[in-house]
Amino acid sequence: ARTTGRLAEVFVEEGDTVAAGQVVARLLDEDQRAAVARAEADLELARARQAQAEAAGAEARRRADRRAGLRAAGAIGPEEDEAAGTAAATAAAEVGAMRAQVAVARAALETARLELEKTRVTAPFAGAVLRKDAEVGEIVGPIMTSNTARAGAVVTIADMRTLEVGVDVNESYIARLSSGMPCDIVLDAHPEVH
């Protein structure tokens, strides 16, 4: 598990084969799903506010342009023209602030989605499930120490293509062995399989 949480579902059993990246379990994720929904709503709100600011900015710019034309014709004084220019500059700054708010909301949504993704426990590589290390309802997490080597493990997976066998050979038989010599390996768990 990449985050601490209570195990909601385990999708594999011992003996199943899994692909790299396959979801093998899920942690309870109601809080994370709610955070994603809120972040999506915040993004939509920020986009709507940006559209409002852009519309207000366009209107302020049009007013400033009209005031500039009236001032050039001598119909209004410089104060009114400057006030319209200031209002247009303020509206343009508000548009910039709303664009930044949209970027913040987009980043918050991405963060919420990443937190939700952490509730999915995936296989780091393709292989076979050797054992289930946690059951539904147990709390699992990413923290591992030498005393709790399996603290974050939900299942144990082995790449069956890279297995190695360790064999203890009595010293009196070592002289009889040579590199590349064929051998039969019998597992205690499956003595009928060679």
Tab-separated table of all heavy atoms in Angstrom, residues 49-103:
chain	number	residue	atom	x	y	z
A	49	ARG	N	-15.891	31.887	-12.583
A	49	ARG	CA	-15.452	33.208	-12.122
A	49	ARG	C	-14.475	33.836	-13.106
A	49	ARG	O	-14.472	35.048	-13.307
A	49	ARG	CB	-14.825	33.095	-10.741
A	49	ARG	CG	-15.873	32.876	-9.669
A	49	ARG	CD	-15.272	32.845	-8.298
A	49	ARG	NE	-16.323	32.729	-7.293
A	49	ARG	CZ	-16.117	32.350	-6.050
A	49	ARG	NH1	-14.888	32.058	-5.649
A	49	ARG	NH2	-17.121	32.279	-5.207
A	50	GLN	N	-13.653	33.010	-13.727
A	50	GLN	CA	-12.746	33.529	-14.750
A	50	GLN	C	-13.542	34.077	-15.926
A	50	GLN	O	-13.228	35.155	-16.450
A	50	GLN	CB	-11.785	32.444	-15.223
A	50	GLN	CG	-10.844	32.919	-16.327
A	50	GLN	CD	-9.975	31.805	-16.896
A	50	GLN	OE1	-9.885	30.727	-16.336
A	50	GLN	NE2	-9.333	32.073	-18.009
A	51	ALA	N	-14.582	33.365	-16.363
A	51	ALA	CA	-15.409	33.833	-17.474
A	51	ALA	C	-16.091	35.154	-17.116
A	51	ALA	O	-16.160	36.066	-17.952
A	51	ALA	CB	-16.445	32.764	-17.836
A	52	GLN	N	-16.578	35.264	-15.860
A	52	GLN	CA	-17.182	36.521	-15.421
A	52	GLN	C	-16.159	37.647	-15.459
A	52	GLN	O	-16.457	38.760	-15.927
A	52	GLN	CB	-17.727	36.398	-13.999
A	52	GLN	CG	-18.996	35.598	-13.878
A	52	GLN	CD	-19.428	35.458	-12.418
A	52	GLN	OE1	-18.595	35.389	-11.519
A	52	GLN	NE2	-20.733	35.393	-12.207
A	53	ALA	N	-14.961	37.390	-14.963
A	53	ALA	CA	-13.918	38.421	-14.931
A	53	ALA	C	-13.518	38.825	-16.342
A	53	ALA	O	-13.274	40.011	-16.608
A	53	ALA	CB	-12.708	37.911	-14.151
A	54	GLU	N	-13.456	37.856	-17.261
A	54	GLU	CA	-13.105	38.179	-18.649
A	54	GLU	C	-14.177	39.046	-19.290
A	54	GLU	O	-13.869	39.997	-20.024
A	54	GLU	CB	-12.864	36.898	-19.442
A	54	GLU	CG	-11.561	36.214	-19.076
A	54	GLU	CD	-11.383	34.852	-19.705
A	54	GLU	OE1	-12.362	34.299	-20.278
A	54	GLU	OE2	-10.265	34.310	-19.629
A	55	ALA	N	-15.450	38.736	-19.017
A	55	ALA	CA	-16.547	39.548	-19.561
A	55	ALA	C	-16.500	40.959	-18.981
A	55	ALA	O	-16.638	41.958	-19.717
A	55	ALA	CB	-17.887	38.893	-19.265
A	56	ALA	N	-16.291	41.068	-17.657
A	56	ALA	CA	-16.201	42.386	-17.021
A	56	ALA	C	-14.982	43.145	-17.536
A	56	ALA	O	-15.048	44.369	-17.747
A	56	ALA	CB	-16.147	42.237	-15.503
A	57	GLY	N	-13.891	42.448	-17.769
A	57	GLY	CA	-12.680	43.081	-18.292
A	57	GLY	C	-12.886	43.616	-19.700
A	57	GLY	O	-12.421	44.717	-20.029
A	58	ALA	N	-13.571	42.842	-20.529
A	58	ALA	CA	-13.849	43.289	-21.897
A	58	ALA	C	-14.733	44.526	-21.882
A	58	ALA	O	-14.499	45.485	-22.644
A	58	ALA	CB	-14.497	42.165	-22.696
A	59	GLU	N	-15.734	44.536	-21.025
A	59	GLU	CA	-16.621	45.698	-20.907
A	59	GLU	C	-15.853	46.920	-20.410
A	59	GLU	O	-16.017	48.033	-20.930
A	59	GLU	CB	-17.786	45.392	-19.972
A	59	GLU	CG	-18.738	46.555	-19.747
A	59	GLU	CD	-19.419	47.046	-21.013
A	59	GLU	OE1	-19.583	46.260	-21.973
A	59	GLU	OE2	-19.781	48.235	-21.049
A	60	ALA	N	-15.002	46.751	-19.411
A	60	ALA	CA	-14.202	47.863	-18.890
A	60	ALA	C	-13.258	48.405	-19.958
A	60	ALA	O	-13.052	49.618	-20.061
A	60	ALA	CB	-13.423	47.415	-17.658
A	61	ARG	N	-12.685	47.513	-20.768
A	61	ARG	CA	-11.789	47.948	-21.843
A	61	ARG	C	-12.561	48.749	-22.892
A	61	ARG	O	-12.074	49.777	-23.393
A	61	ARG	CB	-11.126	46.717	-22.480
A	61	ARG	CG	-10.131	47.013	-23.563
A	61	ARG	CD	-8.778	47.460	-23.015
A	61	ARG	NE	-8.695	48.913	-23.057
A	61	ARG	CZ	-7.969	49.656	-22.243
A	61	ARG	NH1	-7.269	49.115	-21.286
A	61	ARG	NH2	-7.938	50.964	-22.351
A	62	ARG	N	-13.776	48.292	-23.241
A	62	ARG	CA	-14.606	49.036	-24.202
A	62	ARG	C	-14.941	50.428	-23.666
A	62	ARG	O	-14.872	51.429	-24.385
A	62	ARG	CB	-15.883	48.257	-24.531
A	62	ARG	CG	-15.678	47.096	-25.505
A	62	ARG	CD	-16.997	46.535	-26.015
A	62	ARG	NE	-17.828	45.967	-24.954
A	62	ARG	CZ	-17.728	44.712	-24.513
A	62	ARG	NH1	-16.825	43.900	-25.050
A	62	ARG	NH2	-18.525	44.268	-23.565
A	63	ARG	N	-15.297	50.500	-22.381
A	63	ARG	CA	-15.609	51.803	-21.770
A	63	ARG	C	-14.390	52.721	-21.797
A	63	ARG	O	-14.497	53.911	-22.073
A	63	ARG	CB	-16.076	51.611	-20.329
A	63	ARG	CG	-17.488	51.147	-20.218
A	63	ARG	CD	-17.925	51.107	-18.774
A	63	ARG	NE	-19.284	50.602	-18.704
A	63	ARG	CZ	-19.809	50.056	-17.646
A	63	ARG	NH1	-19.091	49.932	-16.537
A	63	ARG	NH2	-21.047	49.633	-17.662
A	64	ALA	N	-13.242	52.160	-21.473
A	64	ALA	CA	-12.026	52.971	-21.483
A	64	ALA	C	-11.724	53.490	-22.886
A	64	ALA	O	-11.328	54.657	-23.057
A	64	ALA	CB	-10.848	52.165	-20.946
A	65	ASP	N	-11.926	52.630	-23.895
A	65	ASP	CA	-11.692	53.059	-25.277
A	65	ASP	C	-12.672	54.170	-25.675
A	65	ASP	O	-12.287	55.148	-26.329
A	65	ASP	CB	-11.814	51.870	-26.238
A	65	ASP	CG	-10.673	50.872	-26.083
A	65	ASP	OD1	-9.638	51.232	-25.459
A	65	ASP	OD2	-10.826	49.723	-26.562
A	66	ARG	N	-13.948	54.034	-25.280
A	66	ARG	CA	-14.939	55.075	-25.574
A	66	ARG	C	-14.568	56.389	-24.878
A	66	ARG	O	-14.660	57.463	-25.453
A	66	ARG	CB	-16.340	54.627	-25.145
A	66	ARG	CG	-17.003	53.669	-26.133
A	66	ARG	CD	-18.484	53.505	-25.881
A	66	ARG	NE	-18.814	53.013	-24.549
A	66	ARG	CZ	-18.958	51.719	-24.224
A	66	ARG	NH1	-18.821	50.803	-25.159
A	66	ARG	NH2	-19.257	51.364	-22.999
A	67	ARG	N	-14.155	56.290	-23.613
A	67	ARG	CA	-13.774	57.492	-22.853
A	67	ARG	C	-12.557	58.177	-23.494
A	67	ARG	O	-12.476	59.394	-23.539
A	67	ARG	CB	-13.458	57.154	-21.402
A	67	ARG	CG	-14.611	56.583	-20.632
A	67	ARG	CD	-15.532	57.662	-20.201
A	67	ARG	NE	-16.591	57.050	-19.388
A	67	ARG	CZ	-17.684	57.655	-19.055
A	67	ARG	NH1	-17.884	58.891	-19.409
A	67	ARG	NH2	-18.597	57.033	-18.362
A	68	ALA	N	-11.626	57.365	-23.968
A	68	ALA	CA	-10.454	57.940	-24.621
A	68	ALA	C	-10.867	58.702	-25.873
A	68	ALA	O	-10.347	59.798	-26.159
A	68	ALA	CB	-9.439	56.857	-24.953
A	69	GLY	N	-11.815	58.153	-26.624
A	69	GLY	CA	-12.329	58.836	-27.825
A	69	GLY	C	-13.055	60.121	-27.468
A	69	GLY	O	-12.900	61.148	-28.149
A	70	LEU	N	-13.863	60.083	-26.400
A	70	LEU	CA	-14.573	61.285	-25.963
A	70	LEU	C	-13.600	62.354	-25.475
A	70	LEU	O	-13.792	63.543	-25.695
A	70	LEU	CB	-15.581	60.938	-24.871
A	70	LEU	CG	-16.809	60.127	-25.310
A	70	LEU	CD1	-17.626	59.701	-24.092
A	70	LEU	CD2	-17.679	60.937	-26.273
A	71	ARG	N	-12.542	61.932	-24.802
A	71	ARG	CA	-11.554	62.901	-24.319
A	71	ARG	C	-10.825	63.538	-25.495
A	71	ARG	O	-10.570	64.743	-25.507
A	71	ARG	CB	-10.557	62.218	-23.390
A	71	ARG	CG	-9.540	63.234	-22.869
A	71	ARG	CD	-8.652	62.636	-21.828
A	71	ARG	NE	-7.690	63.654	-21.383
A	71	ARG	CZ	-6.482	63.400	-21.028
A	71	ARG	NH1	-6.057	62.143	-21.006
A	71	ARG	NH2	-5.679	64.354	-20.644
A	72	ALA	N	-10.489	62.722	-26.493
A	72	ALA	CA	-9.819	63.262	-27.676
A	72	ALA	C	-10.699	64.291	-28.385
A	72	ALA	O	-10.203	65.265	-28.936
A	72	ALA	CB	-9.445	62.137	-28.632
A	73	ALA	N	-12.004	64.067	-28.324
A	73	ALA	CA	-12.952	65.006	-28.952
A	73	ALA	C	-13.225	66.195	-28.033
A	73	ALA	O	-13.957	67.113	-28.414
A	73	ALA	CB	-14.250	64.283	-29.294
A	74	GLY	N	-12.710	66.155	-26.811
A	74	GLY	CA	-12.905	67.253	-25.867
A	74	GLY	C	-14.230	67.198	-25.142
A	74	GLY	O	-14.632	68.175	-24.502
A	75	ALA	N	-14.944	66.063	-25.222
A	75	ALA	CA	-16.268	65.966	-24.597
A	75	ALA	C	-16.191	65.675	-23.103
A	75	ALA	O	-17.134	65.967	-22.369
A	75	ALA	CB	-17.097	64.889	-25.284
A	76	ILE	N	-15.088	65.076	-22.633
A	76	ILE	CA	-14.927	64.805	-21.195
A	76	ILE	C	-13.537	65.230	-20.755
A	76	ILE	O	-12.626	65.406	-21.579
A	76	ILE	CB	-15.147	63.307	-20.856
A	76	ILE	CG1	-14.108	62.429	-21.580
A	76	ILE	CG2	-16.568	62.871	-21.178
A	76	ILE	CD1	-14.119	60.994	-21.114
A	77	GLY	N	-13.376	65.348	-19.459
A	77	GLY	CA	-12.092	65.754	-18.910
A	77	GLY	C	-11.176	64.555	-18.703
A	77	GLY	O	-11.587	63.390	-18.824
A	78	PRO	N	-9.913	64.827	-18.343
A	78	PRO	CA	-8.937	63.748	-18.169
A	78	PRO	C	-9.254	62.835	-16.991
A	78	PRO	O	-8.903	61.660	-17.019
A	78	PRO	CB	-7.617	64.480	-17.954
A	78	PRO	CG	-7.969	65.875	-17.568
A	78	PRO	CD	-9.312	66.155	-18.157
A	79	GLU	N	-9.929	63.356	-15.964
A	79	GLU	CA	-10.242	62.527	-14.790
A	79	GLU	C	-11.129	61.342	-15.163
A	79	GLU	O	-10.904	60.216	-14.720
A	79	GLU	CB	-10.924	63.353	-13.691
A	79	GLU	CG	-10.091	64.455	-13.110
A	79	GLU	CD	-10.112	65.724	-13.964
A	79	GLU	OE1	-11.074	65.919	-14.758
A	79	GLU	OE2	-9.154	66.497	-13.875
A	80	GLU	N	-12.170	61.613	-15.963
A	80	GLU	CA	-13.086	60.533	-16.368
A	80	GLU	C	-12.361	59.510	-17.244
A	80	GLU	O	-12.573	58.305	-17.111
A	80	GLU	CB	-14.289	61.102	-17.116
A	80	GLU	CG	-15.252	61.865	-16.234
A	80	GLU	CD	-16.465	62.323	-17.018
A	80	GLU	OE1	-17.174	61.435	-17.549
A	80	GLU	OE2	-16.682	63.531	-17.091
A	81	ASP	N	-11.496	60.009	-18.128
A	81	ASP	CA	-10.733	59.122	-18.998
A	81	ASP	C	-9.780	58.254	-18.164
A	81	ASP	O	-9.689	57.035	-18.370
A	81	ASP	CB	-9.950	59.948	-20.016
A	81	ASP	CG	-9.170	59.076	-20.993
A	81	ASP	OD1	-9.636	57.944	-21.284
A	81	ASP	OD2	-8.092	59.511	-21.448
A	82	GLU	N	-9.086	58.861	-17.207
A	82	GLU	CA	-8.159	58.122	-16.350
A	82	GLU	C	-8.899	57.114	-15.468
A	82	GLU	O	-8.405	56.006	-15.240
A	82	GLU	CB	-7.357	59.098	-15.488
A	82	GLU	CG	-6.354	59.892	-16.292
A	82	GLU	CD	-5.711	61.014	-15.478
A	82	GLU	OE1	-5.978	61.105	-14.258
A	82	GLU	OE2	-4.946	61.779	-16.062
A	83	ALA	N	-10.074	57.494	-14.964
A	83	ALA	CA	-10.863	56.574	-14.144
A	83	ALA	C	-11.273	55.340	-14.950
A	83	ALA	O	-11.228	54.206	-14.457
A	83	ALA	CB	-12.091	57.286	-13.586
A	84	ALA	N	-11.657	55.547	-16.195
A	84	ALA	CA	-12.029	54.413	-17.050
A	84	ALA	C	-10.817	53.535	-17.343
A	84	ALA	O	-10.914	52.303	-17.372
A	84	ALA	CB	-12.662	54.915	-18.340
A	85	GLY	N	-9.654	54.154	-17.553
A	85	GLY	CA	-8.425	53.395	-17.782
A	85	GLY	C	-8.030	52.583	-16.558
A	85	GLY	O	-7.598	51.429	-16.668
A	86	THR	N	-8.185	53.189	-15.383
A	86	THR	CA	-7.887	52.477	-14.137
A	86	THR	C	-8.830	51.294	-13.950
A	86	THR	O	-8.410	50.200	-13.545
A	86	THR	CB	-7.980	53.441	-12.934
A	86	THR	OG1	-7.050	54.505	-13.134
A	86	THR	CG2	-7.680	52.727	-11.633
A	87	ALA	N	-10.115	51.517	-14.246
A	87	ALA	CA	-11.093	50.428	-14.131
A	87	ALA	C	-10.752	49.284	-15.090
A	87	ALA	O	-10.866	48.100	-14.737
A	87	ALA	CB	-12.502	50.950	-14.397
A	88	ALA	N	-10.299	49.617	-16.287
A	88	ALA	CA	-9.920	48.580	-17.262
A	88	ALA	C	-8.693	47.821	-16.782
A	88	ALA	O	-8.626	46.587	-16.904
A	88	ALA	CB	-9.674	49.208	-18.629
A	89	ALA	N	-7.711	48.539	-16.209
A	89	ALA	CA	-6.507	47.877	-15.704
A	89	ALA	C	-6.848	46.982	-14.518
A	89	ALA	O	-6.315	45.861	-14.394
A	89	ALA	CB	-5.465	48.915	-15.301
A	90	THR	N	-7.731	47.441	-13.655
A	90	THR	CA	-8.170	46.634	-12.513
A	90	THR	C	-8.888	45.376	-12.993
A	90	THR	O	-8.653	44.273	-12.467
A	90	THR	CB	-9.093	47.462	-11.598
A	90	THR	OG1	-8.386	48.618	-11.167
A	90	THR	CG2	-9.567	46.653	-10.403
A	91	ALA	N	-9.740	45.525	-13.991
A	91	ALA	CA	-10.460	44.366	-14.534
A	91	ALA	C	-9.487	43.378	-15.173
A	91	ALA	O	-9.649	42.157	-15.035
A	91	ALA	CB	-11.509	44.822	-15.539
A	92	ALA	N	-8.451	43.884	-15.854
A	92	ALA	CA	-7.448	43.000	-16.462
A	92	ALA	C	-6.687	42.245	-15.375
A	92	ALA	O	-6.395	41.044	-15.526
A	92	ALA	CB	-6.497	43.801	-17.336
A	93	ALA	N	-6.372	42.925	-14.267
A	93	ALA	CA	-5.693	42.263	-13.150
A	93	ALA	C	-6.586	41.187	-12.539
A	93	ALA	O	-6.115	40.113	-12.157
A	93	ALA	CB	-5.295	43.286	-12.090
A	94	GLU	N	-7.886	41.467	-12.470
A	94	GLU	CA	-8.838	40.484	-11.937
A	94	GLU	C	-8.893	39.246	-12.833
A	94	GLU	O	-8.981	38.113	-12.352
A	94	GLU	CB	-10.229	41.119	-11.800
A	94	GLU	CG	-11.261	40.236	-11.163
A	94	GLU	CD	-10.976	39.932	-9.702
A	94	GLU	OE1	-10.259	40.697	-9.026
A	94	GLU	OE2	-11.480	38.897	-9.225
A	95	VAL	N	-8.810	39.444	-14.131
A	95	VAL	CA	-8.778	38.309	-15.067
A	95	VAL	C	-7.534	37.469	-14.795
A	95	VAL	O	-7.601	36.229	-14.735
A	95	VAL	CB	-8.811	38.796	-16.538
A	95	VAL	CG1	-8.488	37.657	-17.498
A	95	VAL	CG2	-10.164	39.391	-16.865
A	96	GLY	N	-6.401	38.127	-14.605
A	96	GLY	CA	-5.165	37.393	-14.292
A	96	GLY	C	-5.284	36.611	-12.995
A	96	GLY	O	-4.837	35.460	-12.902
A	97	ALA	N	-5.899	37.238	-11.989
A	97	ALA	CA	-6.095	36.551	-10.709
A	97	ALA	C	-7.011	35.344	-10.868
A	97	ALA	O	-6.770	34.278	-10.277
A	97	ALA	CB	-6.671	37.522	-9.676
A	98	MET	N	-8.044	35.467	-11.674
A	98	MET	CA	-8.967	34.341	-11.880
A	98	MET	C	-8.298	33.220	-12.668
A	98	MET	O	-8.546	32.044	-12.411
A	98	MET	CB	-10.244	34.811	-12.588
A	98	MET	CG	-11.172	35.636	-11.705
A	98	MET	SD	-11.737	34.709	-10.261
A	98	MET	CE	-10.847	35.520	-8.962
A	99	ARG	N	-7.429	33.571	-13.600
A	99	ARG	CA	-6.675	32.531	-14.333
A	99	ARG	C	-5.765	31.770	-13.369
A	99	ARG	O	-5.636	30.553	-13.458
A	99	ARG	CB	-5.864	33.150	-15.462
A	99	ARG	CG	-6.710	33.571	-16.629
A	99	ARG	CD	-5.891	34.128	-17.766
A	99	ARG	NE	-6.774	34.502	-18.861
A	99	ARG	CZ	-6.540	35.495	-19.691
A	99	ARG	NH1	-5.425	36.202	-19.582
A	99	ARG	NH2	-7.394	35.774	-20.648
A	100	ALA	N	-5.149	32.502	-12.451
A	100	ALA	CA	-4.309	31.858	-11.442
A	100	ALA	C	-5.159	30.961	-10.543
A	100	ALA	O	-4.735	29.860	-10.168
A	100	ALA	CB	-3.574	32.908	-10.620
A	101	GLN	N	-6.355	31.421	-10.212
A	101	GLN	CA	-7.250	30.616	-9.372
A	101	GLN	C	-7.643	29.322	-10.083
A	101	GLN	O	-7.744	28.267	-9.451
A	101	GLN	CB	-8.498	31.430	-9.005
A	101	GLN	CG	-9.341	30.797	-7.936
A	101	GLN	CD	-8.608	30.691	-6.609
A	101	GLN	OE1	-7.878	31.578	-6.230
A	101	GLN	NE2	-8.793	29.593	-5.920
A	102	VAL	N	-7.847	29.390	-11.380
A	102	VAL	CA	-8.146	28.180	-12.157
A	102	VAL	C	-6.954	27.225	-12.106
A	102	VAL	O	-7.117	26.012	-11.925
A	102	VAL	CB	-8.524	28.527	-13.616
A	102	VAL	CG1	-8.530	27.283	-14.500
A	102	VAL	CG2	-9.882	29.215	-13.660
A	103	ALA	N	-5.742	27.767	-12.221
A	103	ALA	CA	-4.544	26.922	-12.155
A	103	ALA	C	-4.412	26.272	-10.783
A	103	ALA	O	-4.075	25.086	-10.672
A	103	ALA	CB	-3.298	27.745	-12.475
